[in-house]
């Protein structure tokens, strides 16, 4: 990344800081006056691997017509974050700077659900075809997860078949909910059956919460609400039996699984309360052990979660073999470190040594995406 790009990133970071200063100023001031004894201990960082080796499974793209449609329909921010610009050239520059060998691209919230009917199906096809074109122009650097015209299930099944069987995309991205209906709802069964039949890799990304369905807090959704919504989606998929009925689907939960690792035991005790006595007879009744088993089957990414606290929880619940690298670029452009180390997630070295980081950032992702693995090795 040249000096102009770095200066531009710093300027954007300052602009964002001005925008949220009123919201976060009190907390920052309080932290500044904490006694020295309460300061967090400094950890000795391990050395990260060197070279361009990372495989990024949480990276977004905004093809030109898609971004134009977002802005035309009033989506000036995504989850409270200003809708960024994107181009293949910018992506490659970012990847080269941060040692990323390849990215599996996906469309972020709101997917194409801000459109309807033919407009939605056409936009999904446009985005997926655009992604497939990147495979040809940049072999070994890009993969992609197909966006579907949800919540139209029939159209989404058709696009799944085309995107996976014809375009050979690496998987599918689903939002945590569509119009307030969470994954796990029976109306999504035909799509899940099609994905299960294809042993699909499914990236579950949080969706913005409607203003009328959340507290009126002066905080953007991406700070907290996104993690909560990922947790809701994963919980609903477990308690409605989706993760049991469709064992061939490999689900990746964004941002270290939201709050799921922390709540893993708490969710499982539902069957031991009065709620367990009221459980529908046509649904499997979860137990602590069963919920823990189901949670351990999820994959989670490091996007905006590259810290010892987040990774310790994910490792304890899912196991390190279920953690994959994610940058969340370009939505993370204002938060990535601009340092000479060129490490996009230096906090990972607070908990993982170099071999473990290579596992998380390279080997684990490629094990799940065979087409991309072949392209990278070729």
């Amino acid at each position: 990344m040249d000096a102009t790009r770095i200066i531009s990133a710093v300027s954007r970071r300052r602009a964002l800081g001005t925008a949220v200063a009123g919201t976060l100023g009190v907390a920052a001031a309080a932290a500044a006056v904490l006694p020295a004894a309460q300061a967090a201990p400094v950890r000795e960082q391990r050395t990260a691997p060197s070279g361009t080796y990372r495989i990024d499974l949480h990276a977004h793209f905004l093809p030109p017509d898609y971004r134009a449609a977002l802005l035309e329909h009033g989506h000036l921010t995504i989850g409270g974050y200003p809708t960024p610009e994107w181009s293949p050239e910018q992506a490659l520059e970012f990847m080269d700077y941060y040692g990323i060998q390849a990215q599996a691209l996906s469309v972020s919230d709101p997917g194409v659900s801000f459109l309807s009917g033919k407009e939605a199906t056409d936009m999904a096809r446009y985005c997926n075809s655009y992604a497939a074109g990147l495979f040809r122009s940049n072999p070994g650097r890009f993969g992609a997860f197909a966006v579907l015209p949800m919540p139209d299930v029939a159209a989404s099944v058709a696009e799944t078949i085309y995107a996976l069987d014809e375009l050979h995309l690496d998987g599918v991205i689903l939002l945590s909910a569509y119009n307030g209906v969470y994954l796990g709802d029976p109306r999504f069964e035909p799509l899940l059956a099609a994905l299960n039949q294809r042993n699909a890799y499914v990236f579950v990304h949080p969706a913005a919460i409607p203003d009328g369905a959340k507290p009126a807090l002066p905080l953007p959704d991406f700070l907290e609400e996104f993690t909560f919504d990922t947790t809701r989606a994963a919980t609903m998929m477990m308690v409605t039996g989706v993760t049991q009925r469709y064992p061939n689907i490999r689900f990746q939960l964004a941002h270290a699984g939201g709050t799921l690792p922390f709540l893993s035991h708490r969710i499982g005790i539902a069957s031991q309360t009065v709620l367990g006595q009221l459980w529908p007879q046509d649904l499997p009744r979860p137990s602590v052990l069963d919920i823990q088993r189901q949670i351990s089957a999820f994959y989670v990414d490091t996007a905006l979660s590259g810290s010892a606290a987040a990774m310790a929880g994910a490792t304890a619940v899912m196991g390190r073999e279920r953690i994959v690298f994610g940058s969340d670029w370009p939505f993370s452009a204002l938060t990535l470190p601009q340092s000479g180390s060129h490490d996009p997630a230096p906090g990972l070295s607070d908990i993982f040594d170099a071999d473990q980081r290579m596992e998380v950032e390279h080997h684990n992702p490629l094990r799940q995406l065979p087409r991309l693995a072949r392209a990278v090795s070729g």
Side-chain angles (χ1 to χ4, degrees):
M1 182 177 291
D2 58 28
T4 302
R5 300 282 303 168
I6 294 175
I7 291 171
S8 176
V10 171
S11 299
R12 291 196 301 273
R13 191 175 295 165
R14 288 174 178 166
L16 182 63
T18 300
V20 302
T23 300
L24 303 181
V26 174
V33 298
L34 283 175
Q38 296 183 27
V42 178
R43 294 184 178 90
E44 180 181 355
Q45 279 201 332
R46 301 174 176 90
T47 302
S50 60
T52 301
Y53 70 93
R54 296 179 175 94
I55 307 298
D56 189 351
L57 298 198
H58 186 151
H60 299 299
F61 75 134
L62 296 89
D65 291 356
Y66 175 72
R67 185 176 186 275
L70 282 174
L71 299 179
E72 181 182 344
H73 286 77
H75 289 277
L76 304 180
T77 64
I78 304 297
Y81 188 99
T83 302
E85 296 181 354
W86 180 91
S87 71
E89 293 76 20
Q90 290 172 322
L92 290 168
E93 182 182 7
F94 164 80
M95 293 160 66
D96 291 342
Y97 184 87
Y98 284 109
I100 297 172
Q101 188 175 10
Q103 287 186 328
L105 301 172
S106 59
V107 168
S108 184
D109 178 59
V112 298
S113 62
F114 65 98
L115 303 171
S116 61
K118 188 175 186 299
E119 283 188 315
T121 57
D122 287 350
M123 184 59 72
R125 180 62 56 87
Y126 162 75
C127 291
N128 296 334
S129 298
Y130 186 101
L134 291 174
F135 297 175
R136 295 187 292 271
S137 60
N138 297 274
R141 300 306 303 271
F142 291 115
F145 300 135
V147 62
L148 306 179
M150 291 285 278
D152 185 334
V153 174
S156 294
V157 170
E159 187 62 23
T160 293
I161 295 171
Y162 181 77
L164 298 185
D165 296 359
E166 301 297 328
L167 295 179
H168 304 294
L169 299 195
D170 298 287
V172 163
I173 181 168
L174 294 177
L175 298 182
S176 52
Y178 295 90
N179 298 331
V181 180
Y182 282 86
L183 300 181
D185 189 275
R187 71 195 75 183
F188 300 145
E189 290 287 304
L191 173 60
L192 294 169
L195 293 168
N196 189 70
Q197 184 180 8
R198 288 163 176 76
N199 301 306
Y201 192 83
V202 176
F203 176 28
V204 179
H205 192 280
I209 311 295
D211 289 340
K214 64 181 179 181
L217 301 176
L219 297 171
D221 280 356
F222 75 85
L223 283 181
E224 297 177 336
E225 295 296 335
F226 269 13
T227 65
F228 302 153
D229 221 48
T230 297
T231 305
R232 295 183 188 106
T235 301
M236 292 306 298
M237 287 193 290
M238 289 187 291
V239 301
T240 58
V242 162
T243 50
Q244 294 169 296
R245 289 195 301 279
Y246 303 110
N248 295 334
I249 301 177
R250 292 155 294 143
F251 290 103
Q252 173 189 327
L253 304 178
H255 311 119
T259 62
L260 190 61
F262 178 79
L263 296 175
S264 59
H265 177 77
R266 187 183 184 99
I267 293 170
I269 65 175
S271 61
Q272 300 175 2
T273 68
V274 66
L275 178 61
Q277 301 171 20
L278 303 175
W279 207 265
Q281 293 190 5
D282 59 338
L283 293 178
R285 179 175 169 178
S287 66
V288 174
L289 292 178
D290 181 64
I291 287 295
Q292 290 175 349
R293 179 189 62 79
Q294 292 187 61
I295 290 177
S296 69
F298 285 115
Y299 292 84
V300 296
D301 64 57
T302 67
L304 298 180
S305 305
S307 70
M311 291 296 101
T315 301
V317 175
M318 286 88 176
R320 193 174 60 248
E321 68 275 7
R322 299 271 174 168
I323 302 174
V324 297
F325 173 72
S327 71
D328 213 347
W329 193 81
F331 292 92
S332 60
L334 301 180
T335 63
L336 285 166
Q338 297 287 344
S339 65
S341 70
H342 293 216
D343 187 345
L348 293 179
S349 289
D350 288 339
I351 188 169
F352 300 135
D353 62 27
D355 289 341
Q356 292 167 341
R357 285 197 63 168
M358 182 63 75
E359 179 185 1
V360 166
E361 298 177 278
H362 182 83
H363 298 306
N364 290 350
L366 289 182
R367 288 190 187 105
Q368 302 311 312
L369 306 184
R371 188 213 62 82
L372 184 59
R374 289 192 298 271
V376 166
S377 63

